[in-house]
Amino acid sequence: MHLETRFDTAGWMRRLGKALATPFDPEDYLALFDARHSAREIRARVHRVRREGDRAVTLELAPNRLWRPHKAGQHVMLGVDIGGVRHQRCFSLSSAPSDPRPAITVKRHGPGGVSDHLVNHCREGDLVTLSPATGDFVLPEAAPERILFLTAGSGVTPVHSIVKSLLASNYEGQLVWAHFERGYHQWLLGESLRGLALDDRLDFRLVLTGDTPRDGDQAGRLNEHWLTEQVPDAAGRTLFTCGPEGFLDTVIDWHRRHGLAPLFHERFQSAPASGGDGGRVRFARSGGDVQAEGAQSLLEAAEAAGLRPKHGCRMGICHTCKCRVTRGRVRDLQSGARRELADQEIRICVHGADGDVELDL
């Protein structure tokens, strides 16, 4: 009987390299030459920082080989180390998939936190991490011939990606985009949008709710009368909308009564429903418990008890904070709906206690 033995040279070299490198992995040494090197996570260098006024920046990123091009309109979880602690937040990609580098546009919301750090302290060469791009706020496979975009505030970012992608293609349809902003100083991606508006396929309107408009811009607030007067064929256009809660509620309510074509929307902020009863939250694995207020999320309750659950956007978008409820009654802080749960996973950033709850934490 003849036995054929094959020697796995590549595998042997990997094992030898790891043994010689102990207690470090060879990947740790490769990272000395390029900190983006990783076989496990998407790391990116900040290639360029573009100021968007005094409260916002666009960060062009140079990711490692694990990055896969996104679909226009999707978002990522961006991780950044602040004071030695890794923080993650959800940001829409403002770049088109065809752009040389993926980019996010960040608006500062207040002192401290990730957005403040990125706007005021992020520099070219800084290292960040990225999740794979995800999200359903994207164009259908066959782009509609007539599309209406309605955005406000930071809602401009994913739609900027979608419109830029369409105009960079052989798209032959006709686009109307109305963006609502308080003033010019808060307007994100203004320079890019002025350039996109030169394309005959795009009818772009900047509508100011605070500042006095300049030539070519408009003043006003979004309501049914504005849509009827300014976009007479709005009901027949496929509608994409993104912005603050009140803005989205107005658009969705109008579409429910008048829309004849599909509606796509993305929520950036969650408006909590009125507080429930609250309750005692017990942590099954770590022990201990805490009394939670009715309007307090289970994530906040866990943090108040000294725990550090995984989380990202804190708005119910990224699902990073999903945790199993062993038993108990919870309240959805977005819709106000109450549920009795047993061995079910929920997003603890947008659910609160509505009685006693036991978490698998």
Side-chain angles (χ1 to χ4, degrees), residues 210-225:
D211 285 0
T212 301
R214 303 168 187 168
D215 291 344
D217 299 327
Q218 298 176 253
R221 293 183 179 276
L222 180 67
N223 54 40
E224 183 172 341
H225 301 295

Side-chain angles (χ1 to χ4, degrees), residues 3 43 112 146 156 165 205 208 226 228 328 333 335 343 349:
L3 295 176
R43 298 175 184 172
R146 295 189 305 152
V156 70
S165 178
R205 302 125 181 243
L208 299 175
W226 190 94
T228 302
L333 296 178
S335 68
D343 290 324
C349 72

Side-chain angles (χ1 to χ4, degrees), residues 15 72 97 123 134 154 168 188 200 228 248 254 276 320:
R15 290 191 294 273
R123 300 292 182 267
T134 187
S154 297
L188 303 181
D200 292 337
T228 302
L248 285 182
W254 173 88
T320 304

Side-chain angles (χ1 to χ4, degrees), residues 6-252:
R6 296 188 178 183
F7 187 70
D8 182 5
T9 304
W12 180 82
M13 290 296 290
R14 284 195 299 270
R15 290 191 294 273
L16 176 62
K18 190 166 185 177
L20 293 174
T22 303
F24 300 105
D25 190 282
E27 183 173 304
D28 296 321
Y29 288 98
L30 290 172
L32 294 175
F33 299 96
D34 185 351
R36 294 176 302 171
H37 184 86
S38 174
R40 301 181 295 270
E41 65 179 359
I42 303 171
R43 298 175 184 172
R45 285 287 187 194
V46 177
H47 176 74
R48 183 184 177 192
V49 179
R50 295 202 316 267
R51 306 302 306 184
E52 303 278 352
D54 60 350
R55 297 188 59 192
V57 292
T58 292
L59 305 178
E60 293 183 9
L61 306 173
N64 63 14
R65 59 184 176 82
L66 298 182
W67 173 254
R68 297 292 180 267
H70 66 288
K71 293 181 180 179
Q74 290 188 314
H75 55 263
V76 295
M77 292 297 301
L78 181 140
V80 60
D81 291 338
I82 304 175
V85 178
R86 174 69 58 86
H87 297 263
Q88 288 187 310
R89 290 295 182 271
C90 185
F91 296 102
S92 289
L93 289 146
S94 54
S95 55
S98 59
D99 286 344
R101 302 184 188 280
I104 61 169
T105 299
V106 182
K107 186 175 183 179
R108 178 179 178 268
H109 295 294
V114 174
S115 63
D116 178 73
H117 174 83
L118 295 176
V119 171
N120 291 325
H121 304 292
C122 190
R123 300 292 182 267
E124 293 180 5
D126 285 359
L127 188 70
V128 297
T129 63
L130 300 173
S131 71
T134 187
D136 300 323
F137 188 63
V138 297
L139 287 166
E141 188 171 340
E145 293 184 3
R146 295 189 305 152
I147 307 177
L148 170 62
F149 300 99
L150 295 174
T151 57
S154 297
V156 70
T157 53
V159 170
H160 179 268
S161 175
I162 293 172
V163 171
K164 192 174 184 183
S165 178
L166 283 171
L167 297 182
S169 70
N170 59 356
Y171 179 71
E172 296 180 353
Q174 202 273 329
L175 311 174
V176 175
W177 182 0
H179 177 65
F180 291 75
E181 194 63 81
R182 286 188 177 181
Y184 291 103
H185 68 290
Q186 296 186 8
W187 187 21
L188 303 181
L189 298 163
E191 182 178 350
S192 177
L193 287 170
R194 293 291 193 199
L196 294 178
L198 298 176
D199 194 305
D200 292 337
R201 292 170 292 176
L202 174 63
D203 176 4
F204 178 78
R205 302 125 181 243
L206 177 63
V207 185
L208 299 175
T209 61
D211 285 0
T212 301
R214 303 168 187 168
D215 291 344
D217 299 327
Q218 298 176 253
R221 293 183 179 276
L222 180 67
N223 54 40
E224 183 172 341
H225 301 295
W226 190 94
L227 275 171
T228 302
E229 295 170 2
Q230 301 298 328
V231 190
D233 65 344
R237 289 178 174 270
T238 298
L239 178 56
F240 281 78
T241 184
C242 186
E245 288 288 328
F247 180 87
L248 285 182
D249 290 342
T250 299
V251 175
I252 292 171

